[in-house]
Amino acid sequence: MRLLTTIVASLALAGLVARGSAQDQSFREEPDSVAVRQGETVTLTCAIDNVAGIVQWTKDNFALGSDRELPGYPRFTITGDVNRGEYNLVVQDTLLEDDGTYQCQASPTENQQGIRSQNAQLTIYLPPDDPVIEEGSSVSVIAGQPKNVTCRADNGKPAATLTWWKDGQEITEGITYITEDAGEKRQNGVSILTLNPSVDDHGKVLTCRSSNPAMDGNKETTTQLNVEHTPVVVVQSNPPLVEEGSSVSLSCESRANPGEVNYQWKKDGVVLAGENGQVLRLNNVRREDNLQVFTCDATNAVGTNSANITLSVQYGPEPLKTTEQVIVDRGTSATLVCQWSGNPSPTIMWAKKGSSSVLGTGDTLTFPIVDQSHSGAYECTAVVPGSGEDSREVVLVVNGPPIISSFEVQYASSGAEGQIECLSSNSPPPSRMAWTWNGIMLDTGTEGRFTAEQRDVHGGRLSVLTVSKVQAADFADYNCTVWNRLGLTSKIITLRQKEPLPLAAIVGGAVAGLVLILVIVLLVFVFCHRRRKKQADGQETPPKEKVEIIHRDHEAAKDKVPPPPPQRKYYITADYDDRDYSSKTSLGAPPPWTPPGGTYQDYKNGNLYSNPYNNYSSYPAVSEHSYERASIASRASRASEAQKKPRMMTHV
């Protein structure tokens, strides 16, 4: 009967002819594709306006019939309001066999053509079997060697989706997924994970999770990784930073699977015989041991692994390379080099000698453009915290035109021999030095009563113009000119006559000496009087001694005043020091002029002079009177100190 009904419906549809308007019999609503889980109920909708023919449903092009009860299909019914043209297909308690393509059809009539709806795909979902990891609950792997692990979930519709997780973190790389036909529209899902295990993966849990639309949630299975690996080695130093001369212990810690480990120590790649424990002890380490490499080899059944440690020995700064002197021309660049070793690495600071201002840090100090003010000694100081500091000196010499370092005013006595000095004190050394005066030019040699001599002294080259039997006309200006390869410099030096020591100063000194003697005599008298009074009162037993006052009157004392100390010369210096130039009884000429802010060593006696003034014009002229006054004050002061002591002779 079902077969006959199907044949009749098919023949009726096959004879469809267009005899009426397309608007007369048409679909108001067509069925849509739908997917449901097995056992659920599904409705495929169909609504037709102006129904004229017979309405039926087909499944996979096979007619189900036009009766609304659909005999032969107890779970299938056609529902809806016929008057409104509703022919909805309801499938209850769906089974896998209900999966297929459905269509709603209206047969043609004498005046209207037959119509067919769009295809509606009914999909029935089936859950897969529980997932399984084929390798079992534990997977043994070797670190660094790839290993495939397979998970599968069979008989799903559609095939199960499989994901991998490691200790709760999803794995997205190294996965191959395939499906297998399981028959009856079912499929097997298979996922292959290619592991690249590391040491850190040992003991971690792999999880395979499956899911498909027929499942309310996920299902999963797990396996634990057993990662065999060579020892993971760590070498430590105790203490981490070793002081020179102390001891240190190197320990070799390892983590391995299997855990039975053998050890061997090496130094700079050479096996240390007998050193096969976990600890290596080093005594009395030296700075030569710094940066030596010690290796610990650890071996188990899988293989051997090693770890190194570089020994760090703490020691103070040690110079490696220093440029003791750098000579450059003015206007060029200059680089001073001072390299040190130390552990920790030393901090290197540069300063000009005598100054605390830091000019730079590091192995080098560079001046892009130098002038002669940059000349001088520089100190590079290396500091290693906890190990001390050290310094080296680098001298920078800046070549430039000559610099004349001499006093602008010099002195001589009339009728005696006089000397005028001109000192060239910079680099390069002069190629020529000449004196000019009254139309005369003299480099070296003799011109009348004038003789010019040159010689090298500490600090430069000195030219001395000597005048025999100085006359009044000789007290004049003399021009000293100095040449070198970078230019020339001239300086006017004035020769002046020494002034005699003022009489007032001599008288004042004598009076001061007499007053000092009177004070001393008075003090001695008072002292002796008090001694006698104490003896008379019985407070003190008089000693057996005799006191004799040597100088009984002032005139005798004055005649016997000790001779004054050798005459002293005084010059204004940066530290206000005075120097004793007792080699001459006369004052003679003052020492040569020194450059501003510089020092000069006397070519005769080696004494150092300094000039605190910053230019020639501000330097005070020193006259013969000032020399003599300074000398008298010095003698008076020394005489006063000498006479403060009681002058007596004691006999016991």
Side-chain angles (χ1 to χ4, degrees), residues 56 66 130 174 219 264 292 416 524 569 625 630 636 647:
Q56 69 171 3
S66 58
D130 290 344
K219 289 187 177 182
Q264 178 62 60
Q292 287 190 334
V524 171
K569 300 178 183 179
H625 290 289
R647 303 183 61 82

Side-chain angles (χ1 to χ4, degrees), residues 1-8 71:
M1 188 64 177
R2 287 180 59 185
L3 179 59
L4 178 61
T5 302
T6 301
I7 294 173
V8 171

Side-chain angles (χ1 to χ4, degrees), residues 471-485:
Q471 301 175 4
D474 298 332
F475 298 109
D477 292 338
Y478 296 81
N479 188 347
C480 176
T481 303
V482 183
W483 291 261
N484 68 11
R485 65 178 178 83

Side-chain angles (χ1 to χ4, degrees), residues 573-593:
T573 66
D575 54 2
Y576 302 98
D577 192 10
D578 80 25
R579 309 291 184 182
D580 189 355
Y581 304 98
S582 57
S583 58
K584 285 189 176 183
T585 56
S586 65
L587 286 174
W593 179 85

Side-chain angles (χ1 to χ4, degrees), residues 451-511:
T451 300
E453 298 177 314
Q454 297 180 17
R455 59 181 175 273
D456 292 326
V457 296
H458 181 77
R461 186 163 182 80
L462 180 70
S463 178
V464 180
L465 181 64
T466 301
V467 185
S468 64
K469 297 181 181 180
V470 176
Q471 301 175 4
D474 298 332
F475 298 109
D477 292 338
Y478 296 81
N479 188 347
C480 176
T481 303
V482 183
W483 291 261
N484 68 11
R485 65 178 178 83
L486 296 177
L488 64 88
T489 302
S490 294
K491 185 173 185 178
I492 300 298
I493 300 175
T494 302
L495 182 64
R496 291 182 181 176
Q497 184 175 6
K498 288 182 183 178
E499 296 182 9
L501 192 64
L503 180 61
I506 299 175
V507 174
V511 171

Side-chain angles (χ1 to χ4, degrees), residues 415-431:
E417 180 182 271
Q419 289 186 339
I420 311 170
E421 298 178 346
C422 179
L423 176 68
S424 177
S425 59
N426 69 305
S427 179
S431 57

Side-chain angles (χ1 to χ4, degrees), residues 415-452:
E417 180 182 271
Q419 289 186 339
I420 311 170
E421 298 178 346
C422 179
L423 176 68
S424 177
S425 59
N426 69 305
S427 179
S431 57
R432 181 185 178 191
M433 300 180 71
W435 293 93
T436 55
W437 74 100
N438 295 333
I440 301 172
M441 174 176 283
L442 186 61
D443 290 18
T444 58
T446 300
E447 179 72 30
R449 292 180 297 104
F450 296 86
T451 300

Side-chain angles (χ1 to χ4, degrees), residues 369-385:
I369 299 177
V370 296
D371 56 34
Q372 288 166 288
S373 67
H374 291 95
S375 292
Y378 293 81
E379 286 186 334
C380 65
T381 302
V383 179
V384 175

